[in-house]
Amino acid sequence: MDAESLLLSLELASGSGQGLSPDRRASLLTSLTLVKRDYRYDRVLFWGRILGLVADYYIAQGLSEDQLAPRKTLYRRGRGRKLGNQDPGDVVGSLNCMEWSLLPPATEEMVVQTSVLKGRFMGDPSHEYEHTELQKMSEGEKVFEEEVVVQIKEETRLVSVIDQIDKAVAVIPRGALFKTPFGPIHVNRTFEGLSLSEAKKLSSYFHFKEPVELKNKTLLEKADLDPSLDFMDPLEHDIPKGSWSIQMERGNALVVLRSLLWPGLTFFHAPRTKNYGYIYVGTGEKNIDLPFML
Amino acid sequence: MEDLTSPKQDKKNQELGEARRPWEEIAASSQDPKSGLSEPLEPEQWLETGPQPRSGPPQSPQSRASPPLDDVTGPGAPSPPSPAPEASFIPSTLALARQQLAAPWQSDRTTDVNPKAETPHSHRLEQSSDQGKSTAPQTCQSEGDIFQQSQQTERHLYGPEDVSNNNSKQKELRFNIFQEEDSNSNYELDHTESGVSEGAPSPLEIAIQSAKAYLLKTSSKSGLNLYDHLSDMLTKVLDERPENAVDIIESISQDVKMAHFRKKLDTLQNENEMLPIYETAEKQKALFLQGNLEGVDQELEDEIAENSLPNVMESAFYFEQAGVGLGTDETYRIFLALKQLTDTHPIQRCRFWGKILGLEMNYIVAEVEFREGEDEEDVEDEDVTEERDDGDSDAEENDEDELPRTFYKTPQVIPKEENRTGANKYVYFVCNEPGGTWVKLPPVTPAQIVTARKIKKFFTGRLETPIVSYPPFPGNESNYLRAQIARISAGTHVSPLGFYQFGEEEGEEEEEVEGRRDSFEENPDFEGIQVIDLVESLSNWVHHVQHILPQGRCNWFNPIQKSEEEEEEEDEEKEEEKEEPEYMEQEVGPPLLTPISEDLEIQNMPPWTTRLSSTLIPQYAIAILRSNLWPGAYAFSNGKDSALTGWASSMEQ
């Protein structure tokens, strides 16, 4: 959600039950404006919060002028406590909880590497997960398997999880961005919100990422699309079908999409207004039981 | 002259028609500070009078071509600056349109000057093209420029020009148009033009072309160009003929821009889009109107006396500190809905249990304890069905078939617990939205709990939905919901150590219920535990809901006893011997008020996470407990005051 309309967006997204406490809200407001200034982003989005065992991560993303360019991700560790014998008043990590650190961009290998990690996040970015792998080593003529213990840092895991969530479930309504013939994507200043009938359909929402499915569409389908608006994949054809729960709250004054694949991702939009946004508050685990649960 | 009427212009001419000209003229003339529109008419007036007045001015310039030459050239540089500040320096057509009505037209300028000084809109005029009207289209340029431009273009009318001169001027003009001009260059041009001779495209036409080219320049940001946008806008205005178009011209402009993004829809509009909002608002209004009954005073006293309603807002405040919550107004509506529930049912104690998210609709759950002797209705039905089943099985056995008899005895159905005990200690009501009707959930049976442990399904939001799963769940969504609620309560309802204590032991319990204490009450001597301690160690928290055994009940039910009775009956009938029933071990679970530090770890993860709500202000912080097994279950405690201990489970499943 946009950092500028943070308070309103949090209020609108509160239907899922998870939000932010007042002191976090206040600190976020100030720190996000500072981030915007320091890093010179065009827009700063508050992405959400990943709950960990010891501490939580607060994630923000910065966007440059071109909205679909790779986003820079920043994180900040919330206050937590170390299990053990320390005083609970100590905060592990930076005492100044206004500081954001930049995360490295995600790569394919990172995603593959961390796909073996299961369980919750610890909350400590330098925590190392140990994962034993069986690797085939060949020595001379013998080929045998050896167990290798691979250490993966939690920061890497964080990066890949954020990337996966973004690719899978970041949502934007149709018409909010438009593509110019020169290439860059811009925020559509005349976007006044979806109408009510459009808001109830999954096809009016797009994945906020580079399109993957568009090329596979037949020409007939493409004929109906408007190239300046329909340049991203709609949510309609997500597999498995039904992995989005779309609900109207407050009568028809608010439409809320919740992802069932990554539970904790909430997208909200007030039809006929410019308010929309998404936030992820959850444990950072994919729901692989989804097909069984539907 | 030949190129001025380009094909595009022609098309536009045909499209727009005569009537458009006066409008354009007005718009055009406003840009030219020197233009003297002798008819400062309102747009409507212009349009009404139609093409007639239009035909006048275009022709006049031809006749008056020469005389005004001196007129125009006379004043020269000095006078133009005076009218300039009034009309120019306007960045948009809109402001121009406004201005033109306001600006006093200079009467010394003849009307023929006006046509000459038109903007590219005039290009659409067939006649105007012949006269090579000059243009002052650079709306974004500085004042001096506008003027200088018009000055020189006017001069173009009158002098015969060299072709070569034209070309160079054309280039210069274009160059000037596309960049910020300074008056010096313009002066130069002026001087060079004075002695110019006639050429094929006159500088005026060149100026018009370049002005038009400028307008056709596409914006780097949006891909639109001003020319198209203005023409679209004017088309729309002339098609729709709104009242006071000039006042709403900005919104017209915005609508035209937005129309790019919308597909062509038919003009039928959906009238019922807003209705559901109103319906829900009506329903919720009813919530707020509850209190306005007659005889309020007495009822108020009664209510205050037996307050079975919890202070939901207060708990919500503490949960908000933890970052958990539904938003203030929704919580308030839930509060009112709970009040409605307590008013309509005889309820001893009521609590907001939480909110469960579903695919289509959500559930708001209230945990309720009825007053004594209130809810005995459903019990008899259950027994009846059980008896019927037994009857059927007997009938089968009496058949003299030769089918081999199986030795399989269906495991006996474990009866559900009585109301008010064990898993059925509380009754749960659900509604889909605050303001909706509360529906009572049926009591839970052990079989349902056992199966619910094995399956994982999303809720749809409708209570009658069948649950299709393997192993098959005995019941529909309302039963599954009830079973999940029972499991969550048993797993996550905790309180600080000492808050509750066991009641006085009134005699020993029966043999079957082996020493299990299942009642507790608030400890009046509870002094509170420091928040730090609560956060530090999990042993300061205890479960206050009975653990559910693997059997599905809280209190162990031994199925062997009954089956022994049945066997005695059957022995008489059958000849074969039965095997000895296996001895079933009694299932034991942790007793009530067990500290949660005894909870099992889940996948190497501690079952609970504790947090202080704020380390910046620790003296007012509260301790927050978050369950890792049931994501969404939270408990908080203030530590100082026992009355503020609370918990809620807002679940996502």
Side-chain angles (χ1 to χ4, degrees), chain B residues 119-346:
Chain B
T119 60
H121 294 282
S122 63
H123 289 171
R124 301 183 200 123
L125 306 174
E126 291 151 9
Q127 294 163 359
S128 62
S129 53
D130 299 331
Q131 295 147 32
K133 301 199 166 49
S134 65
T135 62
Q138 298 81 354
T139 53
C140 298
Q141 290 191 352
S142 58
E143 315 169 15
D145 296 339
I146 291 183
F147 302 89
Q148 302 298 343
Q149 201 62 32
S150 46
Q151 221 180 350
Q152 61 192 357
T153 49
E154 275 162 19
R155 296 219 179 110
H156 294 170
L157 270 180
Y158 313 116
E161 284 130 350
D162 240 2
V163 181
S164 54
N165 253 345
N166 278 347
N167 289 340
S168 61
K169 272 175 232 140
Q170 190 172 3
K171 285 192 203 122
E172 279 173 308
L173 273 174
R174 210 164 271 133
F175 185 68
N176 291 334
I177 289 169
F178 286 106
Q179 291 177 4
E180 287 293 328
E181 281 180 82
D182 52 337
S183 6
N184 295 336
S185 57
N186 280 335
Y187 275 125
E188 268 176 60
L189 277 173
D190 289 345
H191 293 316
T192 50
E193 282 154 15
S194 43
V196 87
S197 57
E198 156 203 87
S202 78
L204 180 62
E205 294 143 22
I206 295 164
I208 295 172
Q209 275 181 324
S210 29
K212 185 172 170 195
Y214 168 74
L215 284 185
L216 282 169
K217 193 164 82 125
T218 52
S219 146
S220 55
K221 271 188 76 174
S222 63
L224 302 170
N225 66 50
L226 188 57
Y227 191 87
D228 288 336
H229 182 65
L230 287 171
S231 59
D232 285 341
M233 228 169 60
L234 293 172
T235 316
K236 185 176 158 111
V237 168
L238 287 166
D239 282 340
E240 294 176 11
R241 308 283 173 110
E243 290 284 318
N244 297 331
V246 66
D247 295 328
I248 53 173
I249 192 71
E250 289 88 0
S251 10
I252 293 177
S253 168
Q254 224 177 3
D255 282 342
V256 168
K257 278 189 184 158
M258 285 214 293
H260 285 296
F261 296 114
R262 276 195 235 122
K263 292 199 196 161
K264 304 262 188 279
L265 301 168
D266 50 31
T267 49
L268 294 176
Q269 282 185 359
N270 260 345
E271 280 300 322
N272 3 345
E273 281 192 351
M274 301 299 278
L275 285 185
I277 300 185
Y278 299 139
E279 281 171 15
T280 324
E282 279 289 329
K283 257 197 284 180
Q284 295 188 340
K285 180 174 148 189
L287 269 184
F288 289 94
L289 285 181
Q290 275 178 66
N292 301 344
L293 302 169
E294 292 169 9
V296 167
D297 297 329
Q298 196 189 12
E299 292 203 10
L300 262 183
E301 285 182 18
D302 286 343
E303 280 183 27
I304 296 174
E306 27 165 295
N307 196 9
S308 51
L309 196 59
N311 192 348
V312 172
M313 297 309 289
E314 200 177 348
S315 319
F317 167 74
Y318 285 106
F319 276 111
E320 198 190 344
Q321 303 294 313
V324 176
L326 290 173
T328 326
D329 51 342
E330 184 160 353
T331 321
Y332 194 74
R333 276 190 221 116
I334 293 176
F335 194 15
L336 286 178
L338 282 178
K339 179 167 183 307
Q340 187 192 42
L341 182 65
T342 51
D343 286 342
T344 49
H345 293 82

Side-chain angles (χ1 to χ4, degrees), chain B residues 21 82 283 512:
Chain B
R21 290 185 215 146
S82 43
K283 257 197 284 180
E512 295 181 12

Side-chain angles (χ1 to χ4, degrees), chain B residues 366-501:
Chain B
E367 185 182 79
V368 151
E369 198 174 310
F370 275 119
R371 291 205 209 116
E372 299 291 328
E374 286 295 338
D375 54 344
E376 308 291 340
E377 317 98 33
D378 307 20
V379 181
E380 291 107 20
D381 298 8
E382 301 278 348
D383 292 333
V384 167
T385 49
E386 283 180 32
E387 286 171 16
R388 243 185 277 125
D389 289 335
D390 292 336
D392 286 354
S393 58
D394 287 336
E396 281 179 30
E397 288 192 69
N398 288 333
D399 269 343
E400 301 294 339
D401 272 338
E402 287 151 11
L403 288 176
R405 301 233 174 93
T406 63
F407 294 120
Y408 177 71
K409 293 170 78 103
T410 56
Q412 187 191 12
V413 173
I414 299 170
K416 70 172 168 58
E417 289 170 298
E418 287 297 312
N419 292 339
R420 298 173 175 279
T421 59
N424 283 322
K425 182 159 185 186
Y426 295 105
V427 179
Y428 291 92
F429 280 84
V430 293
C431 72
N432 283 121
E433 261 193 358
T437 48
W438 289 94
V439 177
K440 185 167 133 176
L441 287 181
V444 68
T445 66
Q448 288 168 355
I449 292 189
V450 167
T451 323
R453 281 183 173 140
K454 297 182 189 155
I455 64 175
K456 198 169 161 189
K457 290 288 263 183
F458 280 120
F459 291 101
T460 62
R462 282 171 287 119
L463 286 172
E464 327 73 44
T465 323
I467 305 275
V468 179
S469 65
Y470 183 76
F473 184 79
N476 59 15
E477 182 155 313
S478 55
N479 302 103
Y480 182 51
L481 181 62
R482 179 66 181 83
Q484 291 292 82
I485 293 176
R487 286 174 68 204
I488 295 167
S489 300
T492 61
H493 282 190
V494 294
S495 55
L497 183 66
F499 183 69
Y500 285 118
Q501 69 183 17

Side-chain angles (χ1 to χ4, degrees), chain B residues 554-613:
Chain B
C554 292
N555 302 316
W556 166 251
F557 172 76
N558 195 345
I560 306 298
Q561 298 170 340
K562 278 212 177 162
S563 63
E564 283 177 4
E565 294 168 10
E566 285 184 10
E567 283 195 19
E568 288 168 17
E569 298 170 7
E570 292 169 10
D571 280 337
E572 298 167 359
E573 301 174 5
K574 294 172 196 158
E575 301 155 1
E576 292 160 45
E577 284 183 351
K578 296 282 178 204
E579 293 174 2
E580 287 292 323
E582 292 170 7
Y583 175 68
M584 283 171 72
E585 286 195 12
Q586 180 172 10
E587 292 169 12
V588 182
L592 199 56
L593 297 190
T594 315
I596 62 179
S597 47
E598 312 282 327
D599 282 357
L600 296 171
E601 279 196 1
I602 311 146
Q603 297 174 5
N604 305 331
M605 191 168 50
W608 294 89
T609 306
T610 58
R611 206 61 61 81
L612 265 185
S613 68

